[in-house]
Amino acid sequence: MIYISELLLYVCFCIVVGNQLLAFVPADKRPTVAVPNWLINLCIIGIALLSFSPVLKVTLTFAKEYNTDFWTIFKGILMDFNIGHAWLVTLFLCLILLLVRILKKITNDPILEYMGAVLTFALILAFGWASHCTASYGLKGFVPHAIHFLSVTVWIGVLFVVGWFSKNSDNWLKFLKWFSPIAFICVVTSISAGFFLMNLLVPDYVNSWIVSYGQALLIKHLFIIPLLTFAWINGVLVKRKLNLNPNFNPIPWVRAESVMALLVFTAMAVMGQQSTPENIAAIIKFEKPSWLFEAFYDGKIEQSMSITLGLNVVSITLALAAVLALLLVVTMFHKKTSTFVSMLYGFLSVLFAYIAAMLSIN
């Protein structure tokens, strides 16, 4: 359940951020979007409640480990830990944001929209402050994590809202004219910040596959490839298609991209609840190796072990199959096939690439 709560938290952030950003875009430069007011309010409440899940997990863990009263531990975490401080700030910001939305509905004062944007940005900062990176590395971890999450929520947030709450595809070319550059900047920024974070948290990328965090990170990276493929389809090929056929409906392809983003978020949700692999030996000793790694690795798993990658016939064949499946994603667009088939090929490309990587382990 804690993985689901983390995934839902990402979705709530994306919907709130996407809706907030689109509020500043003129109506003639985007499709007609109608996100129910109750859903935005529910997402804000969701951010407050779902952000509490890690606090509860830490409290229960400490209470059990130290055989201490739950409320004593809970109070200590709220007062003395970053994760507690961040949740209190998140709760406060969510309450103020709900109040601002109520006032805006009553008064329709434009300045309240800007206040909502500032509060939403502050919520992203609070999320970054509660992260593993901030707890371990302070500002050195907080800044890249906040930048990474901001970039992702801007890109995927607009994608979610436009893909699932558009009433039509009017002004789509005008929408792509401003959104494609923003999405490109967000992609470059999130990847750059992600690599910086990975250097902090995952000093040995291949060896991290032994533990659950590393497995989730590998799967996340593999799903990013079809996600970027769909992003290229929506940013480049759809634009060409619309110039040739103004009646073409791009919304199903945006939804397909958002589904790929959800799969990336799922991997991120698993990562968020795992021990980071700065010390893999300690994780193997006090926790256990990933069951996925154990399923592929025949040797004995020891604390001091170090794995390497080596090509073989099976892994090369599967890697080529992964590339072929990825090419079929684009081919299905040109053949006007259902987006479901394209998503299936995208998933298969990840599956083949993952098995190829695991079978390359020595």
Side-chain angles (χ1 to χ4, degrees):
M1 287 300 294
I2 199 164
Y3 298 144
I4 295 174
S5 69
E6 189 91 355
L7 174 60
L8 290 175
L9 178 61
Y10 297 151
V11 173
C12 288
F13 262 110
C14 284
I15 292 175
V16 171
V17 171
N19 182 73
Q20 187 66 67
L21 288 173
L22 287 169
F24 295 104
V25 179
D28 64 340
K29 293 185 178 180
R30 58 174 172 82
T32 303
V33 175
V35 185
N37 188 61
W38 64 264
L39 179 59
I40 298 298
N41 293 339
L42 182 63
C43 285
I44 295 170
I45 294 170
I47 290 172
L49 295 179
L50 295 168
S51 295
F52 179 70
S53 182
V55 177
L56 178 61
K57 180 184 176 182
V58 172
T59 303
L60 291 172
T61 300
F62 281 11
K64 181 179 179 181
E65 184 175 345
Y66 296 106
N67 195 27
T68 307
D69 176 68
F70 174 89
W71 294 108
T72 302
I73 296 292
F74 179 63
K75 181 181 177 181
I77 288 172
L78 289 184
M79 297 297 105
D80 302 325
F81 285 72
N82 279 349
I83 192 172
H85 299 161
W87 182 72
L88 288 174
V89 171
T90 297
L91 179 62
F92 175 75
L93 290 172
C94 286
L95 292 173
I96 298 300
L97 184 55
L98 285 171
L99 178 60
V100 166
R101 287 184 56 79
I102 292 171
L103 291 175
K104 184 179 181 302
K105 191 174 182 180
I106 296 172
T107 65
N108 203 29
D109 189 341
I111 196 163
L112 292 173
E113 201 71 74
Y114 291 95
M115 288 180 63
V118 171
L119 289 168
T120 302
F121 177 69
L123 280 172
I124 291 173
L125 296 182
F127 178 86
W129 191 253
S131 68
H132 286 308
C133 306
T134 303
S136 300
Y137 299 99
L139 284 176
K140 187 179 179 181
F142 165 71
V143 173
H145 190 275
I147 291 173
H148 181 270
F149 192 64
L150 175 63
S151 302
V152 170
T153 51
V154 168
W155 169 29
I156 305 301
V158 174
L159 193 74
F160 272 5
V161 173
V162 169
W164 295 98
F165 299 100
S166 290
K167 291 186 173 182
N168 52 52
S169 57
D170 295 348
N171 307 312
W172 204 269
L173 286 173
K174 292 182 179 178
F175 164 69
L176 289 178
K177 187 175 182 180
W178 65 264
F179 178 63
S180 292
I182 289 177
F184 178 77
I185 292 170
C186 287
V187 169
V188 173
T189 304
S190 62
I191 290 176
S192 301
F195 273 115
F196 186 88
L197 289 171
M198 194 170 73
N199 286 333
L200 286 178
L201 300 174
V202 191
D204 192 333
Y205 182 66
V206 176
N207 274 339
S208 74
W209 297 357
I210 300 171
V211 298
S212 296
Y213 186 100
Q215 284 287 316
L217 181 61
L218 171 62
I219 293 170
K220 172 192 170 184
H221 287 162
L222 293 177
F223 268 115
I224 287 174
I225 298 172
L227 171 61
L228 293 178
T229 302
F230 276 100
W232 180 68
I233 289 173
N234 284 312
V236 178
L237 298 186
V238 163
K239 186 182 295 185
R240 294 176 185 173
K241 181 77 76 172
L242 284 170
N243 283 324
L244 295 173
N245 178 17
N247 294 321
F248 174 74
N249 182 15
I251 292 177
W253 290 93
V254 174
R255 290 178 177 177
E257 184 180 346
S258 71
V259 171
M260 286 296 152
L262 277 176
L263 294 173
V264 174
F265 284 163
T266 302
M268 290 171 59
V270 174
M271 289 166 57
Q273 303 303 321
Q274 302 297 328
S275 300
T276 53
E278 292 102 328
N279 189 340
I280 296 173
I283 297 176
I284 294 174
K285 180 179 180 181
F286 295 106
E287 297 178 25
K288 62 180 181 178
S290 166
W291 66 270
L292 283 170
F293 181 80
E294 290 180 312
F296 285 94
Y297 189 70
D298 292 331
K300 184 179 180 181
I301 301 175
E302 299 176 339
Q303 290 177 241
S304 59
M305 70 181 294
S306 179
I307 60 176
T308 58
L309 298 181
L311 297 178
N312 55 65
V313 174
V314 177
S315 64
I316 292 173
T317 302
L318 286 169
L320 291 174
V323 174
L324 177 60
L326 206 59
L327 292 174
L328 286 171
V329 172
V330 180
T331 303
M332 293 303 102
F333 174 80
H334 289 298
K335 289 190 174 183
K336 302 178 183 179
T337 309
S338 165
T339 53
F340 176 79
V341 177
S342 291
M343 286 189 290
L344 180 61
Y345 281 124
F347 181 83
L348 286 175
S349 72
V350 172
L351 180 62
F352 291 147
Y354 173 78
I355 297 175
M358 296 306 294
L359 292 181
S360 299
I361 292 173
N362 293 321

